[in-house]
Amino acid sequence: MSAAALLVGLLAAAGTFMLLRGAQLRLIIGFILLGHAVNVVLLSAGGLRWRALAFADGGPGRADPLPQAFALTAIVITFGITIYLLGLLVRTGQDAAGSGADPVDDDRAETRPGDVREQDEL
């Protein structure tokens, strides 16, 4: 078994485990780990170990640059989505431990029944 396959399996298993946890921060970490697993798969598909560099010398034995371009694109997309998810986490105001509290429930708890009747009478 190659090191790349072992690394992909480990990253995918850890990412799936973190996705299945309840907290939002763990969901983001799971997404990051799955993104890294995809990047390792794309880079190992390029075959750099047994081929020449992509643009060093021409010929049929050179590496395919397309998986490298896909991996670079995947890194940029994963980084952008991670920043977006972290922004959502900050926006909701939940702590890093992931209390799991729904912000809608907090809003209903602040409303008192007397407030609604006073507005209806006006």
Side-chain angles (χ1 to χ4, degrees):
M1 178 179 292
S2 70
L6 186 63
L7 182 62
V8 168
L10 182 65
L11 286 171
T16 304
F17 177 75
M18 294 301 277
L19 279 176
L20 295 176
R21 308 300 291 171
Q24 289 180 348
L25 185 61
R26 291 184 182 135
L27 178 96
I28 295 170
I29 292 171
F31 177 76
I32 292 169
L33 290 175
L34 285 177
H36 288 315
V38 169
N39 293 335
V40 171
V41 167
L42 289 173
L43 287 176
S44 65
L48 284 178
R49 188 172 68 179
W50 55 275
R51 293 184 180 183
L53 294 176
F55 297 109
D57 294 324
R62 64 182 184 178
D64 187 14
L66 191 59
Q68 297 172 16
F70 283 153
L72 183 61
T73 304
I75 290 169
V76 171
I77 291 171
T78 303
F79 181 72
I81 292 175
T82 301
I83 295 299
Y84 178 71
L85 290 174
L86 287 172
L88 285 177
L89 180 67
V90 170
R91 179 80 171 141
T92 58
Q94 292 188 358
D95 58 343
S99 63
D102 191 10
V104 176
D105 292 338
D106 293 341
D107 292 341
R108 276 188 285 161
E110 293 175 2
T111 306
R112 293 180 295 218
D115 294 341
V116 175
R117 280 188 242 136
E118 290 175 8
Q119 291 175 357
D120 290 340
E121 292 175 0
L122 294 176

mmCIF file with all atom_site columns, all heavy atoms in Angstrom, residues 73-101:
data_model
loop_
_atom_site.group_PDB
_atom_site.id
_atom_site.type_symbol
_atom_site.label_atom_id
_atom_site.label_alt_id
_atom_site.label_comp_id
_atom_site.label_asym_id
_atom_site.label_entity_id
_atom_site.label_seq_id
_atom_site.pdbx_PDB_ins_code
_atom_site.Cartn_x
_atom_site.Cartn_y
_atom_site.Cartn_z
_atom_site.occupancy
_atom_site.B_iso_or_equiv
_atom_site.pdbx_formal_charge
_atom_site.auth_seq_id
_atom_site.auth_comp_id
_atom_site.auth_asym_id
_atom_site.auth_atom_id
_atom_site.pdbx_PDB_model_num
ATOM 1   N N   . THR A 1 73  ? -6.478  24.488 -8.136  1.00 0.00 ? 73  THR A N   1
ATOM 2   C CA  . THR A 1 73  ? -7.833  25.037 -8.134  1.00 0.00 ? 73  THR A CA  1
ATOM 3   C C   . THR A 1 73  ? -8.614  24.559 -6.914  1.00 0.00 ? 73  THR A C   1
ATOM 4   O O   . THR A 1 73  ? -9.339  25.333 -6.280  1.00 0.00 ? 73  THR A O   1
ATOM 5   C CB  . THR A 1 73  ? -8.562  24.630 -9.420  1.00 0.00 ? 73  THR A CB  1
ATOM 6   O OG1 . THR A 1 73  ? -7.784  25.061 -10.535 1.00 0.00 ? 73  THR A OG1 1
ATOM 7   C CG2 . THR A 1 73  ? -9.937  25.254 -9.494  1.00 0.00 ? 73  THR A CG2 1
ATOM 8   N N   . ALA A 1 74  ? -8.466  23.280 -6.554  1.00 0.00 ? 74  ALA A N   1
ATOM 9   C CA  . ALA A 1 74  ? -9.165  22.734 -5.384  1.00 0.00 ? 74  ALA A CA  1
ATOM 10  C C   . ALA A 1 74  ? -8.684  23.389 -4.095  1.00 0.00 ? 74  ALA A C   1
ATOM 11  O O   . ALA A 1 74  ? -9.476  23.630 -3.181  1.00 0.00 ? 74  ALA A O   1
ATOM 12  C CB  . ALA A 1 74  ? -8.962  21.224 -5.309  1.00 0.00 ? 74  ALA A CB  1
ATOM 13  N N   . ILE A 1 75  ? -7.394  23.697 -4.016  1.00 0.00 ? 75  ILE A N   1
ATOM 14  C CA  . ILE A 1 75  ? -6.869  24.376 -2.830  1.00 0.00 ? 75  ILE A CA  1
ATOM 15  C C   . ILE A 1 75  ? -7.488  25.761 -2.686  1.00 0.00 ? 75  ILE A C   1
ATOM 16  O O   . ILE A 1 75  ? -7.908  26.159 -1.591  1.00 0.00 ? 75  ILE A O   1
ATOM 17  C CB  . ILE A 1 75  ? -5.324  24.459 -2.897  1.00 0.00 ? 75  ILE A CB  1
ATOM 18  C CG1 . ILE A 1 75  ? -4.716  23.086 -2.705  1.00 0.00 ? 75  ILE A CG1 1
ATOM 19  C CG2 . ILE A 1 75  ? -4.778  25.436 -1.870  1.00 0.00 ? 75  ILE A CG2 1
ATOM 20  C CD1 . ILE A 1 75  ? -3.243  23.023 -3.018  1.00 0.00 ? 75  ILE A CD1 1
ATOM 21  N N   . VAL A 1 76  ? -7.571  26.495 -3.773  1.00 0.00 ? 76  VAL A N   1
ATOM 22  C CA  . VAL A 1 76  ? -8.139  27.848 -3.730  1.00 0.00 ? 76  VAL A CA  1
ATOM 23  C C   . VAL A 1 76  ? -9.617  27.799 -3.366  1.00 0.00 ? 76  VAL A C   1
ATOM 24  O O   . VAL A 1 76  ? -10.099 28.578 -2.532  1.00 0.00 ? 76  VAL A O   1
ATOM 25  C CB  . VAL A 1 76  ? -7.912  28.563 -5.079  1.00 0.00 ? 76  VAL A CB  1
ATOM 26  C CG1 . VAL A 1 76  ? -8.677  29.870 -5.152  1.00 0.00 ? 76  VAL A CG1 1
ATOM 27  C CG2 . VAL A 1 76  ? -6.439  28.800 -5.308  1.00 0.00 ? 76  VAL A CG2 1
ATOM 28  N N   . ILE A 1 77  ? -10.366 26.871 -3.951  1.00 0.00 ? 77  ILE A N   1
ATOM 29  C CA  . ILE A 1 77  ? -11.797 26.764 -3.652  1.00 0.00 ? 77  ILE A CA  1
ATOM 30  C C   . ILE A 1 77  ? -12.016 26.341 -2.208  1.00 0.00 ? 77  ILE A C   1
ATOM 31  O O   . ILE A 1 77  ? -12.881 26.887 -1.508  1.00 0.00 ? 77  ILE A O   1
ATOM 32  C CB  . ILE A 1 77  ? -12.469 25.788 -4.639  1.00 0.00 ? 77  ILE A CB  1
ATOM 33  C CG1 . ILE A 1 77  ? -12.503 26.402 -6.034  1.00 0.00 ? 77  ILE A CG1 1
ATOM 34  C CG2 . ILE A 1 77  ? -13.878 25.427 -4.180  1.00 0.00 ? 77  ILE A CG2 1
ATOM 35  C CD1 . ILE A 1 77  ? -12.944 25.449 -7.112  1.00 0.00 ? 77  ILE A CD1 1
ATOM 36  N N   . THR A 1 78  ? -11.231 25.380 -1.728  1.00 0.00 ? 78  THR A N   1
ATOM 37  C CA  . THR A 1 78  ? -11.354 24.939 -0.334  1.00 0.00 ? 78  THR A CA  1
ATOM 38  C C   . THR A 1 78  ? -11.040 26.078 0.628   1.00 0.00 ? 78  THR A C   1
ATOM 39  O O   . THR A 1 78  ? -11.728 26.247 1.639   1.00 0.00 ? 78  THR A O   1
ATOM 40  C CB  . THR A 1 78  ? -10.415 23.748 -0.070  1.00 0.00 ? 78  THR A CB  1
ATOM 41  O OG1 . THR A 1 78  ? -10.715 22.704 -0.986  1.00 0.00 ? 78  THR A OG1 1
ATOM 42  C CG2 . THR A 1 78  ? -10.566 23.238 1.347   1.00 0.00 ? 78  THR A CG2 1
ATOM 43  N N   . PHE A 1 79  ? -10.023 26.871 0.321   1.00 0.00 ? 79  PHE A N   1
ATOM 44  C CA  . PHE A 1 79  ? -9.682  28.002 1.176   1.00 0.00 ? 79  PHE A CA  1
ATOM 45  C C   . PHE A 1 79  ? -10.809 29.027 1.202   1.00 0.00 ? 79  PHE A C   1
ATOM 46  O O   . PHE A 1 79  ? -11.171 29.537 2.270   1.00 0.00 ? 79  PHE A O   1
ATOM 47  C CB  . PHE A 1 79  ? -8.382  28.660 0.690   1.00 0.00 ? 79  PHE A CB  1
ATOM 48  C CG  . PHE A 1 79  ? -7.954  29.824 1.524   1.00 0.00 ? 79  PHE A CG  1
ATOM 49  C CD1 . PHE A 1 79  ? -7.451  29.639 2.795   1.00 0.00 ? 79  PHE A CD1 1
ATOM 50  C CD2 . PHE A 1 79  ? -8.068  31.115 1.042   1.00 0.00 ? 79  PHE A CD2 1
ATOM 51  C CE1 . PHE A 1 79  ? -7.061  30.719 3.566   1.00 0.00 ? 79  PHE A CE1 1
ATOM 52  C CE2 . PHE A 1 79  ? -7.684  32.194 1.799   1.00 0.00 ? 79  PHE A CE2 1
ATOM 53  C CZ  . PHE A 1 79  ? -7.174  31.995 3.063   1.00 0.00 ? 79  PHE A CZ  1
ATOM 54  N N   . GLY A 1 80  ? -11.378 29.326 0.055   1.00 0.00 ? 80  GLY A N   1
ATOM 55  C CA  . GLY A 1 80  ? -12.474 30.293 -0.002  1.00 0.00 ? 80  GLY A CA  1
ATOM 56  C C   . GLY A 1 80  ? -13.705 29.838 0.760   1.00 0.00 ? 80  GLY A C   1
ATOM 57  O O   . GLY A 1 80  ? -14.322 30.609 1.496   1.00 0.00 ? 80  GLY A O   1
ATOM 58  N N   . ILE A 1 81  ? -14.070 28.583 0.599   1.00 0.00 ? 81  ILE A N   1
ATOM 59  C CA  . ILE A 1 81  ? -15.241 28.057 1.305   1.00 0.00 ? 81  ILE A CA  1
ATOM 60  C C   . ILE A 1 81  ? -14.970 27.977 2.805   1.00 0.00 ? 81  ILE A C   1
ATOM 61  O O   . ILE A 1 81  ? -15.867 28.221 3.615   1.00 0.00 ? 81  ILE A O   1
ATOM 62  C CB  . ILE A 1 81  ? -15.654 26.701 0.718   1.00 0.00 ? 81  ILE A CB  1
ATOM 63  C CG1 . ILE A 1 81  ? -16.185 26.904 -0.699  1.00 0.00 ? 81  ILE A CG1 1
ATOM 64  C CG2 . ILE A 1 81  ? -16.707 26.021 1.581   1.00 0.00 ? 81  ILE A CG2 1
ATOM 65  C CD1 . ILE A 1 81  ? -16.512 25.625 -1.419  1.00 0.00 ? 81  ILE A CD1 1
ATOM 66  N N   . THR A 1 82  ? -13.734 27.668 3.190   1.00 0.00 ? 82  THR A N   1
ATOM 67  C CA  . THR A 1 82  ? -13.389 27.627 4.614   1.00 0.00 ? 82  THR A CA  1
ATOM 68  C C   . THR A 1 82  ? -13.525 29.007 5.245   1.00 0.00 ? 82  THR A C   1
ATOM 69  O O   . THR A 1 82  ? -14.079 29.148 6.346   1.00 0.00 ? 82  THR A O   1
ATOM 70  C CB  . THR A 1 82  ? -11.956 27.096 4.798   1.00 0.00 ? 82  THR A CB  1
ATOM 71  O OG1 . THR A 1 82  ? -11.869 25.793 4.228   1.00 0.00 ? 82  THR A OG1 1
ATOM 72  C CG2 . THR A 1 82  ? -11.587 27.039 6.264   1.00 0.00 ? 82  THR A CG2 1
ATOM 73  N N   . ILE A 1 83  ? -13.047 30.031 4.558   1.00 0.00 ? 83  ILE A N   1
ATOM 74  C CA  . ILE A 1 83  ? -13.185 31.398 5.073   1.00 0.00 ? 83  ILE A CA  1
ATOM 75  C C   . ILE A 1 83  ? -14.657 31.774 5.187   1.00 0.00 ? 83  ILE A C   1
ATOM 76  O O   . ILE A 1 83  ? -15.083 32.399 6.168   1.00 0.00 ? 83  ILE A O   1
ATOM 77  C CB  . ILE A 1 83  ? -12.417 32.390 4.175   1.00 0.00 ? 83  ILE A CB  1
ATOM 78  C CG1 . ILE A 1 83  ? -10.917 32.112 4.248   1.00 0.00 ? 83  ILE A CG1 1
ATOM 79  C CG2 . ILE A 1 83  ? -12.713 33.827 4.547   1.00 0.00 ? 83  ILE A CG2 1
ATOM 80  C CD1 . ILE A 1 83  ? -10.335 32.254 5.630   1.00 0.00 ? 83  ILE A CD1 1
ATOM 81  N N   . TYR A 1 84  ? -15.455 31.387 4.206   1.00 0.00 ? 84  TYR A N   1
ATOM 82  C CA  . TYR A 1 84  ? -16.889 31.671 4.247   1.00 0.00 ? 84  TYR A CA  1
ATOM 83  C C   . TYR A 1 84  ? -17.554 30.964 5.431   1.00 0.00 ? 84  TYR A C   1
ATOM 84  O O   . TYR A 1 84  ? -18.354 31.580 6.156   1.00 0.00 ? 84  TYR A O   1
ATOM 85  C CB  . TYR A 1 84  ? -17.538 31.233 2.936   1.00 0.00 ? 84  TYR A CB  1
ATOM 86  C CG  . TYR A 1 84  ? -19.023 31.449 2.898   1.00 0.00 ? 84  TYR A CG  1
ATOM 87  C CD1 . TYR A 1 84  ? -19.558 32.727 2.807   1.00 0.00 ? 84  TYR A CD1 1
ATOM 88  C CD2 . TYR A 1 84  ? -19.909 30.377 2.978   1.00 0.00 ? 84  TYR A CD2 1
ATOM 89  C CE1 . TYR A 1 84  ? -20.916 32.934 2.781   1.00 0.00 ? 84  TYR A CE1 1
ATOM 90  C CE2 . TYR A 1 84  ? -21.273 30.577 2.954   1.00 0.00 ? 84  TYR A CE2 1
ATOM 91  C CZ  . TYR A 1 84  ? -21.769 31.852 2.855   1.00 0.00 ? 84  TYR A CZ  1
ATOM 92  O OH  . TYR A 1 84  ? -23.118 32.039 2.840   1.00 0.00 ? 84  TYR A OH  1
ATOM 93  N N   . LEU A 1 85  ? -17.221 29.694 5.655   1.00 0.00 ? 85  LEU A N   1
ATOM 94  C CA  . LEU A 1 85  ? -17.811 28.958 6.775   1.00 0.00 ? 85  LEU A CA  1
ATOM 95  C C   . LEU A 1 85  ? -17.368 29.526 8.117   1.00 0.00 ? 85  LEU A C   1
ATOM 96  O O   . LEU A 1 85  ? -18.167 29.595 9.057   1.00 0.00 ? 85  LEU A O   1
ATOM 97  C CB  . LEU A 1 85  ? -17.448 27.473 6.678   1.00 0.00 ? 85  LEU A CB  1
ATOM 98  C CG  . LEU A 1 85  ? -18.105 26.695 5.549   1.00 0.00 ? 85  LEU A CG  1
ATOM 99  C CD1 . LEU A 1 85  ? -17.546 25.278 5.484   1.00 0.00 ? 85  LEU A CD1 1
ATOM 100 C CD2 . LEU A 1 85  ? -19.608 26.667 5.715   1.00 0.00 ? 85  LEU A CD2 1
ATOM 101 N N   . LEU A 1 86  ? -16.114 29.930 8.224   1.00 0.00 ? 86  LEU A N   1
ATOM 102 C CA  . LEU A 1 86  ? -15.659 30.561 9.464   1.00 0.00 ? 86  LEU A CA  1
ATOM 103 C C   . LEU A 1 86  ? -16.356 31.900 9.695   1.00 0.00 ? 86  LEU A C   1
ATOM 104 O O   . LEU A 1 86  ? -16.665 32.257 10.835  1.00 0.00 ? 86  LEU A O   1
ATOM 105 C CB  . LEU A 1 86  ? -14.143 30.742 9.442   1.00 0.00 ? 86  LEU A CB  1
ATOM 106 C CG  . LEU A 1 86  ? -13.318 29.470 9.606   1.00 0.00 ? 86  LEU A CG  1
ATOM 107 C CD1 . LEU A 1 86  ? -11.853 29.764 9.376   1.00 0.00 ? 86  LEU A CD1 1
ATOM 108 C CD2 . LEU A 1 86  ? -13.541 28.858 10.971  1.00 0.00 ? 86  LEU A CD2 1
ATOM 109 N N   . GLY A 1 87  ? -16.620 32.631 8.634   1.00 0.00 ? 87  GLY A N   1
ATOM 110 C CA  . GLY A 1 87  ? -17.388 33.871 8.766   1.00 0.00 ? 87  GLY A CA  1
ATOM 111 C C   . GLY A 1 87  ? -18.800 33.617 9.237   1.00 0.00 ? 87  GLY A C   1
ATOM 112 O O   . GLY A 1 87  ? -19.341 34.370 10.057  1.00 0.00 ? 87  GLY A O   1
ATOM 113 N N   . LEU A 1 88  ? -19.423 32.548 8.738   1.00 0.00 ? 88  LEU A N   1
ATOM 114 C CA  . LEU A 1 88  ? -20.756 32.185 9.226   1.00 0.00 ? 88  LEU A CA  1
ATOM 115 C C   . LEU A 1 88  ? -20.726 31.790 10.694  1.00 0.00 ? 88  LEU A C   1
ATOM 116 O O   . LEU A 1 88  ? -21.649 32.104 11.448  1.00 0.00 ? 88  LEU A O   1
ATOM 117 C CB  . LEU A 1 88  ? -21.322 31.025 8.402   1.00 0.00 ? 88  LEU A CB  1
ATOM 118 C CG  . LEU A 1 88  ? -21.826 31.358 7.013   1.00 0.00 ? 88  LEU A CG  1
ATOM 119 C CD1 . LEU A 1 88  ? -22.277 30.080 6.310   1.00 0.00 ? 88  LEU A CD1 1
ATOM 120 C CD2 . LEU A 1 88  ? -22.979 32.340 7.083   1.00 0.00 ? 88  LEU A CD2 1
ATOM 121 N N   . LEU A 1 89  ? -19.660 31.104 11.098  1.00 0.00 ? 89  LEU A N   1
ATOM 122 C CA  . LEU A 1 89  ? -19.530 30.699 12.496  1.00 0.00 ? 89  LEU A CA  1
ATOM 123 C C   . LEU A 1 89  ? -19.420 31.923 13.402  1.00 0.00 ? 89  LEU A C   1
ATOM 124 O O   . LEU A 1 89  ? -20.068 31.990 14.444  1.00 0.00 ? 89  LEU A O   1
ATOM 125 C CB  . LEU A 1 89  ? -18.311 29.797 12.664  1.00 0.00 ? 89  LEU A CB  1
ATOM 126 C CG  . LEU A 1 89  ? -18.033 29.293 14.066  1.00 0.00 ? 89  LEU A CG  1
ATOM 127 C CD1 . LEU A 1 89  ? -19.124 28.336 14.515  1.00 0.00 ? 89  LEU A CD1 1
ATOM 128 C CD2 . LEU A 1 89  ? -16.688 28.620 14.126  1.00 0.00 ? 89  LEU A CD2 1
ATOM 129 N N   . VAL A 1 90  ? -18.642 32.899 12.991  1.00 0.00 ? 90  VAL A N   1
ATOM 130 C CA  . VAL A 1 90  ? -18.503 34.130 13.778  1.00 0.00 ? 90  VAL A CA  1
ATOM 131 C C   . VAL A 1 90  ? -19.812 34.904 13.777  1.00 0.00 ? 90  VAL A C   1
ATOM 132 O O   . VAL A 1 90  ? -20.227 35.462 14.789  1.00 0.00 ? 90  VAL A O   1
ATOM 133 C CB  . VAL A 1 90  ? -17.340 34.980 13.235  1.00 0.00 ? 90  VAL A CB  1
ATOM 134 C CG1 . VAL A 1 90  ? -17.325 36.361 13.858  1.00 0.00 ? 90  VAL A CG1 1
ATOM 135 C CG2 . VAL A 1 90  ? -16.029 34.266 13.466  1.00 0.00 ? 90  VAL A CG2 1
ATOM 136 N N   . ARG A 1 91  ? -20.491 34.918 12.640  1.00 0.00 ? 91  ARG A N   1
ATOM 137 C CA  . ARG A 1 91  ? -21.744 35.676 12.508  1.00 0.00 ? 91  ARG A CA  1
ATOM 138 C C   . ARG A 1 91  ? -22.841 35.131 13.412  1.00 0.00 ? 91  ARG A C   1
ATOM 139 O O   . ARG A 1 91  ? -23.627 35.885 13.966  1.00 0.00 ? 91  ARG A O   1
ATOM 140 C CB  . ARG A 1 91  ? -22.193 35.645 11.048  1.00 0.00 ? 91  ARG A CB  1
ATOM 141 C CG  . ARG A 1 91  ? -23.457 36.355 10.764  1.00 0.00 ? 91  ARG A CG  1
ATOM 142 C CD  . ARG A 1 91  ? -23.208 37.826 10.648  1.00 0.00 ? 91  ARG A CD  1
ATOM 143 N NE  . ARG A 1 91  ? -24.427 38.449 10.164  1.00 0.00 ? 91  ARG A NE  1
ATOM 144 C CZ  . ARG A 1 91  ? -24.852 39.599 10.608  1.00 0.00 ? 91  ARG A CZ  1
ATOM 145 N NH1 . ARG A 1 91  ? -24.160 40.263 11.484  1.00 0.00 ? 91  ARG A NH1 1
ATOM 146 N NH2 . ARG A 1 91  ? -25.960 40.117 10.156  1.00 0.00 ? 91  ARG A NH2 1
ATOM 147 N N   . THR A 1 92  ? -22.902 33.819 13.561  1.00 0.00 ? 92  THR A N   1
ATOM 148 C CA  . THR A 1 92  ? -23.940 33.239 14.413  1.00 0.00 ? 92  THR A CA  1
ATOM 149 C C   . THR A 1 92  ? -23.645 33.455 15.886  1.00 0.00 ? 92  THR A C   1
ATOM 150 O O   . THR A 1 92  ? -24.537 33.352 16.708  1.00 0.00 ? 92  THR A O   1
ATOM 151 C CB  . THR A 1 92  ? -24.107 31.739 14.139  1.00 0.00 ? 92  THR A CB  1
ATOM 152 O OG1 . THR A 1 92  ? -22.872 31.068 14.359  1.00 0.00 ? 92  THR A OG1 1
ATOM 153 C CG2 . THR A 1 92  ? -24.604 31.498 12.736  1.00 0.00 ? 92  THR A CG2 1
ATOM 154 N N   . GLY A 1 93  ? -22.373 33.733 16.217  1.00 0.00 ? 93  GLY A N   1
ATOM 155 C CA  . GLY A 1 93  ? -22.034 34.033 17.597  1.00 0.00 ? 93  GLY A CA  1
ATOM 156 C C   . GLY A 1 93  ? -21.935 32.826 18.497  1.00 0.00 ? 93  GLY A C   1
ATOM 157 O O   . GLY A 1 93  ? -21.927 32.957 19.710  1.00 0.00 ? 93  GLY A O   1
ATOM 158 N N   . GLN A 1 94  ? -21.852 31.646 17.926  1.00 0.00 ? 94  GLN A N   1
ATOM 159 C CA  . GLN A 1 94  ? -21.724 30.461 18.761  1.00 0.00 ? 94  GLN A CA  1
ATOM 160 C C   . GLN A 1 94  ? -20.273 30.288 19.158  1.00 0.00 ? 94  GLN A C   1
ATOM 161 O O   . GLN A 1 94  ? -19.359 30.646 18.423  1.00 0.00 ? 94  GLN A O   1
ATOM 162 C CB  . GLN A 1 94  ? -22.222 29.230 18.022  1.00 0.00 ? 94  GLN A CB  1
ATOM 163 C CG  . GLN A 1 94  ? -23.718 29.261 17.802  1.00 0.00 ? 94  GLN A CG  1
ATOM 164 C CD  . GLN A 1 94  ? -24.223 27.959 17.239  1.00 0.00 ? 94  GLN A CD  1
ATOM 165 O OE1 . GLN A 1 94  ? -23.454 27.058 16.985  1.00 0.00 ? 94  GLN A OE1 1
ATOM 166 N NE2 . GLN A 1 94  ? -25.508 27.870 17.062  1.00 0.00 ? 94  GLN A NE2 1
ATOM 167 N N   . ASP A 1 95  ? -20.061 29.686 20.327  1.00 0.00 ? 95  ASP A N   1
ATOM 168 C CA  . ASP A 1 95  ? -18.702 29.497 20.818  1.00 0.00 ? 95  ASP A CA  1
ATOM 169 C C   . ASP A 1 95  ? -18.019 28.351 20.086  1.00 0.00 ? 95  ASP A C   1
ATOM 170 O O   . ASP A 1 95  ? -18.628 27.586 19.365  1.00 0.00 ? 95  ASP A O   1
ATOM 171 C CB  . ASP A 1 95  ? -18.709 29.240 22.319  1.00 0.00 ? 95  ASP A CB  1
ATOM 172 C CG  . ASP A 1 95  ? -19.533 28.030 22.681  1.00 0.00 ? 95  ASP A CG  1
ATOM 173 O OD1 . ASP A 1 95  ? -20.344 27.565 21.856  1.00 0.00 ? 95  ASP A OD1 1
ATOM 174 O OD2 . ASP A 1 95  ? -19.370 27.536 23.799  1.00 0.00 ? 95  ASP A OD2 1
ATOM 175 N N   . ALA A 1 96  ? -16.712 28.242 20.267  1.00 0.00 ? 96  ALA A N   1
ATOM 176 C CA  . ALA A 1 96  ? -15.923 27.229 19.563  1.00 0.00 ? 96  ALA A CA  1
ATOM 177 C C   . ALA A 1 96  ? -16.248 25.821 20.025  1.00 0.00 ? 96  ALA A C   1
ATOM 178 O O   . ALA A 1 96  ? -16.036 24.865 19.310  1.00 0.00 ? 96  ALA A O   1
ATOM 179 C CB  . ALA A 1 96  ? -14.433 27.500 19.757  1.00 0.00 ? 96  ALA A CB  1
ATOM 180 N N   . ALA A 1 97  ? -16.784 25.682 21.235  1.00 0.00 ? 97  ALA A N   1
ATOM 181 C CA  . ALA A 1 97  ? -17.124 24.353 21.724  1.00 0.00 ? 97  ALA A CA  1
ATOM 182 C C   . ALA A 1 97  ? -18.362 23.810 21.057  1.00 0.00 ? 97  ALA A C   1
ATOM 183 O O   . ALA A 1 97  ? -18.613 22.606 21.098  1.00 0.00 ? 97  ALA A O   1
ATOM 184 C CB  . ALA A 1 97  ? -17.324 24.392 23.244  1.00 0.00 ? 97  ALA A CB  1
ATOM 185 N N   . GLY A 1 98  ? -19.146 24.647 20.426  1.00 0.00 ? 98  GLY A N   1
ATOM 186 C CA  . GLY A 1 98  ? -20.326 24.179 19.714  1.00 0.00 ? 98  GLY A CA  1
ATOM 187 C C   . GLY A 1 98  ? -21.451 23.838 20.666  1.00 0.00 ? 98  GLY A C   1
ATOM 188 O O   . GLY A 1 98  ? -21.774 22.679 20.885  1.00 0.00 ? 98  GLY A O   1
ATOM 189 N N   . SER A 1 99  ? -22.065 24.855 21.253  1.00 0.00 ? 99  SER A N   1
ATOM 190 C CA  . SER A 1 99  ? -23.131 24.607 22.218  1.00 0.00 ? 99  SER A CA  1
ATOM 191 C C   . SER A 1 99  ? -24.339 23.980 21.566  1.00 0.00 ? 99  SER A C   1
ATOM 192 O O   . SER A 1 99  ? -25.134 23.323 22.224  1.00 0.00 ? 99  SER A O   1
ATOM 193 C CB  . SER A 1 99  ? -23.524 25.914 22.903  1.00 0.00 ? 99  SER A CB  1
ATOM 194 O OG  . SER A 1 99  ? -24.047 26.820 21.951  1.00 0.00 ? 99  SER A OG  1
ATOM 195 N N   . GLY A 1 100 ? -24.509 24.165 20.266  1.00 0.00 ? 100 GLY A N   1
ATOM 196 C CA  . GLY A 1 100 ? -25.638 23.569 19.566  1.00 0.00 ? 100 GLY A CA  1
ATOM 197 C C   . GLY A 1 100 ? -26.933 24.324 19.767  1.00 0.00 ? 100 GLY A C   1
ATOM 198 O O   . GLY A 1 100 ? -27.990 23.874 19.345  1.00 0.00 ? 100 GLY A O   1
ATOM 199 N N   . ALA A 1 101 ? -26.888 25.465 20.431  1.00 0.00 ? 101 ALA A N   1
ATOM 200 C CA  . ALA A 1 101 ? -28.100 26.240 20.662  1.00 0.00 ? 101 ALA A CA  1
ATOM 201 C C   . ALA A 1 101 ? -28.550 26.889 19.366  1.00 0.00 ? 101 ALA A C   1
ATOM 202 O O   . ALA A 1 101 ? -27.740 27.399 18.598  1.00 0.00 ? 101 ALA A O   1
ATOM 203 C CB  . ALA A 1 101 ? -27.850 27.299 21.725  1.00 0.00 ? 101 ALA A CB  1
#
